[in-house]
Amino acid sequence: MKAAVLYASQDLRYTDFETPGINDHEILVRMKATGICGSDLPRVFGNKAHFYPIVLGHEFSGEVVEVGQAVTNVKVGERIVGAPLVPCMKCSDCQQGWYSQCKDYSFIGSRVPGSWAEFVKMPAINAVKLPEGVTFEQGALFEPATVSLHGLLVMGFRGGTDVVIVGCGTIGMLALQFAKILGAKRILALDIDSQKLDLAKKYGANECLNTGDGNFKQRIREITAGRGFEMVIESAGVEFTEKLSLEIAGNKGYVMFIGTPSRPITLTPGEFENINRKELTVRGSWMSYSAPFPGKEWEMTGYYFQQGLLRADELIDRIIPLSEVNEAFTDLAVPGKVKGKILFKG
């Protein structure tokens, strides 16, 4: 088969690669749409791949072309999304349904070959059927969508509350839509990019503020009558936004950190004291799984895409053939050139 194969840091080649064979409990999927995740960038540009050569890609949808002898949950010809986490299913965390915390997991697209290829194999249990009317392109966005939804579920998101989305990248935009779907009273979106804020308004934010404006904190005080926000969802993963999230949370508020920092975060005593004085509930979120595996996040995402309540077309920068993978990464190396998800079509 043809695949985008990473042979070393910055050595990504569209070339021939062995088509995977499947075991009794596995399926083979013809890739129809697959995306580039932010976590793929350090693997391609840096030295973060677990081994070489490797086929990356963990956000994908496709058509089942072969099933193992023991497979009963999916059939050849069905349209599916792949849930990339492969937990051990034996440890105490897995036994409690905490699959994201499994310490002996595998992962499609990082620890085993992934979806930047014509075909990808996976355990049949990892197949999530695409609802009727949901496109393969939407299917390739299930994984980031479920990451956003999982964060809201972990924080105990409550409808009827004022919510602020701190950071309007792909995860933030999806979290904004889920907050609206789940009944948020008012939604404020914060970002430094005015184009992202325009889209956040289109997706249902009641007000959008540019954090490059020196008066944005005053406007937050006006919006919340000085109380701060009951629900704060941080998705950028940078020091400024993580500190800001603690600052603008209200007393007894809930702060969810979905964003993953790549650099050290240092809090002054006063900044940390926001947690103490306000008696905040501060939670983190990792991946997107719950029991029964892969979890209600995946079912809910499919349902809301099908109902038209969850939208993603505007989050896609381009859809291109997999053969153009190097052109995509050339653009990704230029800050600000790519305005959303790049999807490869099968």
Side-chain angles (χ1 to χ4, degrees), residues 32-35 59-62 79-82 128-146 170 174 177 203 298 301-316 319 341 343-344:
K32 291 293 188 179
T34 183
E59 303 174 353
F60 65 96
S61 63
R79 304 162 65 247
I80 63 96
V81 169
V128 178
K129 294 180 183 179
L130 266 178
E132 184 177 351
V134 179
T135 67
F136 285 118
E137 291 75 21
Q138 289 172 319
L141 285 156
F142 268 46
E143 200 273 344
T146 59
T170 299
L174 292 164
Q177 294 181 75
Y203 277 162
W298 296 80
T301 293
Y303 174 78
Y304 290 124
F305 266 131
Q306 186 185 48
Q307 297 300 309
L309 297 172
L310 187 64
R311 296 158 54 194
D313 289 350
E314 296 92 342
L315 302 179
I316 299 172
I319 302 172
K341 276 282 179 187
L343 298 185
F344 301 119

Side-chain angles (χ1 to χ4, degrees), residues 146-190:
T146 59
V147 167
S148 300
L149 179 56
H150 182 72
L152 271 64
L153 297 179
V154 167
M155 77 185 296
F157 183 88
R158 299 193 308 273
T161 56
D162 285 339
V163 181
V164 59
I165 308 295
V166 186
C168 292
T170 299
I171 298 296
M173 290 293 194
L174 292 164
L176 188 159
Q177 294 181 75
F178 277 124
K180 185 175 181 64
I181 289 168
L182 297 177
K185 183 169 66 176
R186 292 185 301 176
I187 302 174
L188 174 69
L190 300 179

Side-chain angles (χ1 to χ4, degrees), residues 20-29 57-58 60 64-75 78 80-89 104-109 111-115 119-129 289 293-294 298:
I22 62 171
N23 297 317
D24 287 349
H25 291 87
E26 293 179 325
I27 62 174
L28 187 66
V29 178
H58 63 267
F60 65 96
V64 179
V65 296
E66 186 180 349
V67 301
Q69 292 183 355
V71 173
T72 58
N73 63 312
V74 290
K75 300 176 182 177
E78 289 189 313
I80 63 96
V81 169
L85 178 69
V86 184
C88 75
M89 296 296 185
D104 192 27
Y105 68 92
S106 186
F107 199 88
I108 299 167
R111 296 172 186 253
V112 294
S115 58
F119 299 96
V120 57
K121 78 168 184 175
M122 54 193 253
I125 194 175
N126 288 64
V128 178
K129 294 180 183 179
Y289 301 89
F293 184 83
W298 296 80

Side-chain angles (χ1 to χ4, degrees), residues 14 31 319-328 343-346:
Y14 180 71
M31 186 274 288
I319 302 172
I320 57 176
L322 184 60
S323 59
E324 297 179 16
V325 61
N326 277 299
E327 289 88 334
L343 298 185
F344 301 119
K345 60 183 177 180

Side-chain angles (χ1 to χ4, degrees), residues 213-247:
D213 180 348
N215 296 319
F216 83 93
K217 290 184 182 178
Q218 175 59 34
R219 180 57 187 151
I220 288 175
R221 286 189 287 271
E222 293 171 359
I223 292 170
T224 66
R227 293 188 298 269
F229 285 92
E230 298 161 87
M231 297 274 166
V232 181
I233 301 165
E234 195 280 338
S235 66
V238 297
E239 185 172 45
F240 175 78
T241 57
E242 299 203 331
K243 290 181 176 183
L244 178 64
S245 296
L246 299 175
E247 181 181 347

Side-chain angles (χ1 to χ4, degrees), residues 2-40:
K2 290 292 186 180
V5 186
L6 185 67
Y7 284 91
S9 175
Q10 302 185 55
D11 184 5
L12 185 60
R13 309 176 206 170
Y14 180 71
T15 186
D16 293 320
F17 201 72
E18 185 176 359
T19 303
I22 62 171
N23 297 317
D24 287 349
H25 291 87
E26 293 179 325
I27 62 174
L28 187 66
V29 178
R30 184 188 301 276
M31 186 274 288
K32 291 293 188 179
T34 183
I36 298 175
C37 175
S39 64
D40 293 317

